Amino acid sequence: MSEARRRGDAEPRAAVPAWAVASRLCIFLGLVSLFLSCSAKPDPGTLVMIIESSPNNLDPRVGLDAQSERIDELMFDALLTRDEHFNVQPGLAASWEIPNPLLYIFHLRQGVRFHNGSPLTARDVKWTFDSLLGGKIHSTKSASYRFVDHLEAPDDFTVVFHLKEPDAPLLWNLSEGAIGIVPYGSGNEMAGHPVGSGPFRFVSAQQDKDVILERNQDYWGAKARLQRVRFTVVPDATTRALELRKGSADIAISALTSDTVLTLERESHLDVLRAPGTIVAYMAFNLRDPILGDVRVRQAIACAIDRAPMIHYLMRDFAQPAYSLLPTGSWAYNGDVSHFNFNPERARRMLDQAGYSAVNGVRFHLEMKTSTEESTRLIAAVLQQQLRNVGIALDIRTFEFATFLADVTRGAYQIHSLRWIGAEDPDIFENVFHSSRFTPIGSNRTFYRNPRIDSLIDQARKDPDQHVRKLLYAEIQRIVADDLPYINLWYFDNVLVHSKRVRNLTLRSSGNYDFLKTAELAP
């Protein structure tokens, strides 16, 4: 699913077990000595941030990968922003009103200018969405606005959205991280030469090398304190660590193995910031499978899984147990749901009741597909051992990630494990649990069908009252926690390693690059 960055699949972040630490540290420290001699003194006016890959497309109407959207947020303003509880707040729109569920009226700030000097007006906002809705710009983001009929700009600072049917998630889809506003007439050239109105302006980009931004001196809001930011692309995890160690890079966020972070935090010139994150790891079942279609089997598997040793030994405690796709800080989060905690004896009883008696210690076989990525295979190996303890033989099959994801997308699996990136808005429930969103139309890859869930999701999408929606989403989470098409495993922490010459950093749970808006370099 990829209507916006709030919804995306990815492999679990890299992690290594304790038994691998010693050998890796020896290699790491040996390589450090080779790099130190050529360490470059950092530019006093440029912050260097390591990213794992180049952004795919810097047009905020198009780019869906994490790097594109996170860098775009620094260059482009959205109509709305988001607070720490993922509620929408004013952005380019100083205020808005909803006279009825089919009419949204936004009142823009005055005095905002694009980086090219032109004023930002309602005409630009209208063009941004008209170019998507009219097909001038081809992007899967247009699906987020499928209920928008048309827009009006009655004056320079008023924008009116007319809807075909009620769409409560619209405000979220108009906020930062979903889309930014581009100048009137902008076409495909925006991908290579982005022009926004944000606190940073585009300087240059070289594929697989770097992206450079500089401070927007004329920004309408609080101005950035950094003169320049260079995002340097470093695909290899060991090299990322070395760049930080030798001082040629200043920042990396959630781009290092847990053991490497523990090593680097002992360096006198580096600091580590850590905050709860919103990326959630999960285990998913194909409910069309005759064994996994039985809810008692799914609940038994949940009782057979012990998260604690995996969080401690594989993630080095840089993760927290998860019982919902939503982060705990979300306004819609409901923690009052069934928890099938580790209880192997209960798991055995449930499997007996489901009619699966053990024969020579084995009740049945299940196949779990994974990628070849190391941390994924380690987690699968631990799950294999834990399920064997209750009589379930878990057969593991590994594939290159593209092949693995293709099988998952077409439902060719029994069990798989992935993670949701940015599942911060409760509208995600429609995409992963509504019966109309079976893959490939949506991301309901478990083929979960529950008429009550469908009804609740439909009501929540149409009701603009957040209090009513919160109650509806609370019931959805209670039902899903019992039905268990997913077993939510843990939320990954956001971990930022930075040189001590960088100050004034504030890490948010979304893992975005907002901290660059307030960061500064020591003189």
Side-chain angles (χ1 to χ4, degrees):
M1 177 178 190
S2 54
E3 291 182 4
R5 176 168 39 75
R6 70 181 190 274
R7 304 165 183 168
D9 287 317
E11 295 184 83
R13 76 176 56 175
V16 295
W19 50 262
V21 175
S23 61
R24 291 206 170 185
L25 289 182
C26 289
I27 295 172
F28 175 79
L29 294 174
L31 288 172
V32 166
S33 63
L34 297 176
F35 276 81
L36 286 177
S37 61
C38 58
S39 176
K41 186 175 181 180
D43 180 343
T46 301
L47 180 144
V48 178
M49 179 169 169
I50 293 173
I51 57 177
E52 300 97 314
S53 59
S54 289
N56 288 337
N57 192 313
L58 289 174
D59 186 332
R61 298 166 294 180
V62 180
L64 286 168
D65 60 290
Q67 300 303 341
S68 294
E69 292 201 346
R70 288 171 175 170
I71 293 174
D72 275 346
E73 284 183 50
L74 302 173
M75 296 189 291
F76 293 89
D77 292 315
L79 282 177
L80 304 172
T81 59
R82 304 169 184 173
D83 64 19
E84 64 274 17
H85 297 296
F86 310 107
N87 293 297
V88 294
Q89 301 292 342
L92 287 174
S95 64
W96 64 92
E97 56 204 68
I98 310 173
N100 64 66
L102 299 180
L103 191 65
Y104 287 65
I105 303 172
F106 296 90
H107 304 283
L108 304 183
R109 299 180 188 276
Q110 300 186 28
V112 178
R113 290 188 175 274
F114 286 108
H115 299 152
N116 61 11
S118 64
L120 190 155
T121 68
R123 184 175 79 152
D124 303 297
V125 176
K126 185 175 185 301
W127 172 263
T128 298
F129 294 96
D130 282 350
S131 61
L132 280 176
L133 299 174
K136 293 182 178 67
I137 295 295
H138 296 287
S139 171
T140 55
K141 284 191 177 185
S142 61
S144 296
Y145 312 103
R146 63 191 181 278
F147 299 117
V148 176
D149 185 69
H150 67 280
L151 285 78
E152 289 182 315
D155 59 57
D156 281 351
F157 301 105
T158 305
V159 181
V160 182
F161 283 71
H162 294 268
L163 305 188
K164 303 171 187 174
E165 59 181 87
D167 183 27
L170 177 65
L171 293 179
W172 177 266
N173 290 327
L174 297 177
S175 63
E176 61 184 354
I179 196 168
I181 303 303
V182 301
Y184 176 82
S186 297
N188 292 321
E189 79 285 347
M190 192 62 53
H193 300 281
V195 177
S197 62
F200 289 92
R201 67 173 73 234
F202 177 79
V203 175
S204 65
Q206 298 182 69
Q207 184 67 26
D208 299 326
K209 183 180 179 183
D210 62 20
V211 177
I212 298 175
L213 308 182
E214 65 182 10
R215 177 170 54 204
N216 176 12
Q217 301 282 19
D218 301 319
Y219 187 54
W220 60 271
K223 292 179 175 57
R225 301 174 185 180
L226 298 170
Q227 295 178 25
R228 181 170 285 216
V229 178
R230 177 173 177 253
F231 296 94
T232 182
V233 179
V234 183
D236 179 69
T238 300
T239 306
R240 292 196 288 269
L242 291 172
E243 293 293 328
L244 290 164
R245 170 69 173 78
K246 68 179 181 172
S248 54
D250 294 298
I251 287 182
I253 179 170
S254 300
L256 302 165
T257 67
S258 301
D259 287 309
T260 300
V261 172
L262 295 177
T263 299
L264 290 178
E265 71 179 353
R266 295 196 290 267
E267 296 293 328
S268 60
H269 69 290
L270 296 175
D271 270 339
V272 176
L273 290 181
R274 171 180 169 181
T278 61
I279 298 174
V280 59
Y282 65 86
M283 183 178 185
F285 304 111
N286 188 334
L287 272 59
R288 289 181 171 177
D289 181 84
I291 297 175
L292 296 170
D294 189 330
V295 67
R296 295 170 297 182
V297 171
R298 302 195 297 273
Q299 292 174 349
I301 291 174
C303 290
I305 294 175
D306 188 2
R307 296 172 175 83
M310 289 187 278
I311 290 175
H312 181 64
Y313 291 108
L314 298 184
M315 264 68 71
R316 294 295 191 174
D317 296 319
F318 289 115
Q320 312 300 323
Y323 297 98
S324 175
L325 290 182
L326 290 180
T328 57
S330 168
W331 61 268
Y333 177 80
N334 177 26
D336 185 21
V337 301
S338 298
H339 292 186
F340 293 92
N341 292 321
F342 180 56
N343 187 334
E345 185 54 42
R346 183 185 180 191
R348 296 186 192 99
R349 289 198 304 269
M350 296 173 81
L351 291 170
D352 286 339
Q353 293 167 4
Y356 293 103
S357 301
V359 178
N360 297 323
V362 177
R363 300 173 187 273
F364 50 77
H365 284 255
L366 291 174
E367 181 183 273
M368 180 174 182
K369 290 189 175 181
T370 75
S371 76
T372 55
E373 200 274 327
E374 181 183 31
S375 67
T376 305
R377 291 186 289 107
L378 289 170
I379 291 169
V382 175
L383 291 171
Q384 183 182 55
Q385 182 180 11
Q386 291 181 349
L387 294 185
R388 183 186 301 125
N389 188 38
V390 299
I392 299 174
L394 188 65
D395 303 321
I396 300 171
R397 296 188 64 194
T398 60
F399 302 85
E400 292 297 327
F401 185 72
T403 302
F404 162 64
L405 187 59
D407 281 355
V408 169
T409 301
R410 63 190 180 90
Y413 73 93
Q414 282 184 298
I415 299 175
H416 79 267
S417 181
L418 273 168
R419 60 178 181 169
W420 280 108
I421 295 178
E424 297 159 359
D425 184 77
D427 190 41
I428 190 174
F429 294 136
E430 177 182 16
N431 199 43
V432 299
F433 295 133
H434 200 289
S435 63
S436 68
R437 304 289 283 174
F438 284 173
T439 185
I441 296 173
S443 292
N444 187 344
R445 300 168 187 153
T446 62
F447 303 100
Y448 174 62
R449 184 190 297 274
N450 184 320
R452 177 58 179 162
I453 289 290
D454 288 353
S455 175
L456 291 167
I457 289 172
D458 291 340
Q459 292 177 61
R461 184 178 61 77
K462 294 178 180 179
D463 199 314
D465 188 323
Q466 184 166 298
H467 176 70
V468 173
R469 296 179 73 210
K470 182 178 175 67
L471 295 175
L472 295 170
Y473 287 128
E475 186 175 352
I476 289 170
Q477 290 168 84
R478 281 193 295 270
I479 295 171
V480 170
D482 285 324
D483 287 352
L484 281 182
Y486 279 53
I487 295 176
N488 299 298
L489 297 173
W490 48 74
Y491 304 106
F492 293 98
D493 288 347
N494 291 318
V495 181
L496 186 151
V497 180
H498 69 94
S499 66
K500 289 185 177 178
R501 81 180 189 120
V502 186
R503 302 175 179 177
N504 232 10
L505 290 168
T506 301
L507 189 58
R508 295 178 63 178
S509 59
S510 64
N512 294 346
Y513 299 161
D514 291 352
F515 53 83
L516 295 174
K517 298 177 182 179
T518 59
E520 55 187 332
L521 294 176

